[in-house]
Amino acid sequence: GAVVSQHPSRVICKSGTSVKIECRSLDFQATTMFWYRQFPKQSLMLMATSNEGSKATYEQGVEKDKFLINHASLTLSTLTVTSAHPEDSSFYICSAPSQGGNTIYFGEGSWLTVV
Amino acid sequence: AQSVAQPEDQVNVAEGNPLTVKCTYSVSGNPYLFWYVQYPNRGLQFLLKYITGDNLVKGSYGFEAEFNKSQTSFHLKKPSALVSDSALYFCAVRDGPAAGNKLTFGGGTRVLVKP
């Protein structure tokens, strides 16, 4: 079945640096992908909608200059956390709707730790 | 605006007993309803969905859910719970199939199945 892959699964970076997380749809094309953030023992918070060939749509309160999203192709979206701070440490999950849109598949998530 | 409520933070059940995880929703149009399961430090795994048709939906791992339009509910059920079913369960709603339509998640319900 359809699979969404995220890389890296875990990353540690120093404060002030930038880190990129990739989200790939492996056997289907996704014109839209979604990026979520999840704090421990909490629900998923939608950060932004990634649109292939156009700008991402950010949710209220999410800093677009800090969380850069690029949807370079029909199978790849990237989230770059710029000038990372310890409070950016979190679990980031991407998702993509199947072609036809009836099902939404999620990646395995990426743990970001900023030290 | 669409919303999802999972009234129980945690559900405890003995192995072999029936398991029910509650979910109610609010959406302006026709609801697309989903259940996902999350194991520790992992992404979300799709369990089942209701788009249209029979109100009783059967999904993965022996789970099923019943769509009740009058009560705006979509409770998840399993006739006989396993210890391995212990995980975090999320109900989600989407207002139609368009690729850009966002999923809104409930707060999650932690299920603990005791041997």
Side-chain angles (χ1 to χ4, degrees):
Chain A
V3 175
V4 174
S5 173
Q6 269 185 255
H7 178 80
S9 57
R10 291 182 178 272
V11 58
I12 300 173
C13 70
K14 293 183 178 180
S15 290
T17 62
S18 297
V19 61
K20 180 185 290 187
I21 301 170
E22 294 184 345
C23 179
R24 294 181 184 273
S25 56
L26 294 186
D27 56 0
F28 66 102
Q29 295 181 334
T31 57
T32 302
M33 293 184 178
F34 302 93
W35 285 97
Y36 295 84
R37 183 173 181 177
Q38 185 181 29
F39 292 100
K41 300 184 180 181
Q42 293 189 26
S43 189
L44 282 72
M45 181 190 77
L46 180 65
M47 299 174 65
T49 302
S50 173
N51 304 300
E52 190 269 336
S54 64
K55 293 182 179 180
T57 305
Y58 289 82
E59 296 300 301
Q60 192 172 6
V62 177
E63 299 176 62
K64 59 182 66 177
D65 293 333
K66 180 169 188 59
F67 298 100
L68 299 180
I69 291 173
N70 183 20
H71 199 137
S73 74
L74 287 171
T75 59
L76 174 64
S77 175
T78 60
L79 168 68
T80 301
V81 182
T82 63
S83 187
H85 290 282
E87 55 265 31
D88 298 327
S89 299
S90 189
F91 192 51
Y92 292 88
I93 308 177
C94 71
S95 72
S98 61
Q99 286 178 304
N102 284 348
T103 301
I104 297 182
Y105 296 98
F106 284 79
E108 282 291 306
S110 300
W111 276 107
L112 170 63
T113 302
V114 184
V115 298
Chain B
Q2 57 198 37
S3 65
V4 178
Q6 292 179 242
E8 301 155 315
D9 290 337
Q10 182 160 325
V11 170
N12 297 321
V13 64
E15 188 175 31
N17 282 2
L19 169 64
T20 298
V21 187
K22 295 179 180 178
C23 171
T24 58
Y25 66 91
S26 174
V27 66
S28 57
N30 291 324
Y32 280 46
L33 292 156
F34 302 83
W35 274 101
Y36 291 88
V37 60
Q38 185 179 35
Y39 295 97
N41 302 317
R42 303 293 297 276
L44 272 65
Q45 293 183 29
F46 170 76
L47 281 179
L48 51 79
K49 66 184 179 188
Y50 171 82
I51 304 297
T52 186
D54 290 340
N55 290 343
L56 184 64
V57 178
K58 293 189 182 297
S60 306
Y61 312 120
F63 283 95
E64 59 187 30
E66 185 166 11
F67 171 65
N68 188 318
K69 187 174 183 177
S70 63
Q71 297 185 4
T72 61
S73 67
F74 190 56
H75 302 329
L76 181 70
K77 299 181 180 182
K78 186 170 183 178
S80 178
L82 301 172
V83 172
S84 57
D85 294 328
S86 299
L88 187 57
Y89 291 80
F90 289 103
C91 180
V93 69
R94 193 183 190 203
D95 189 359
N101 287 5
K102 297 174 277 192
L103 269 183
T104 298
F105 283 88
T109 299
R110 189 164 300 280
V111 170
L112 180 60
V113 182
K114 298 181 179 178

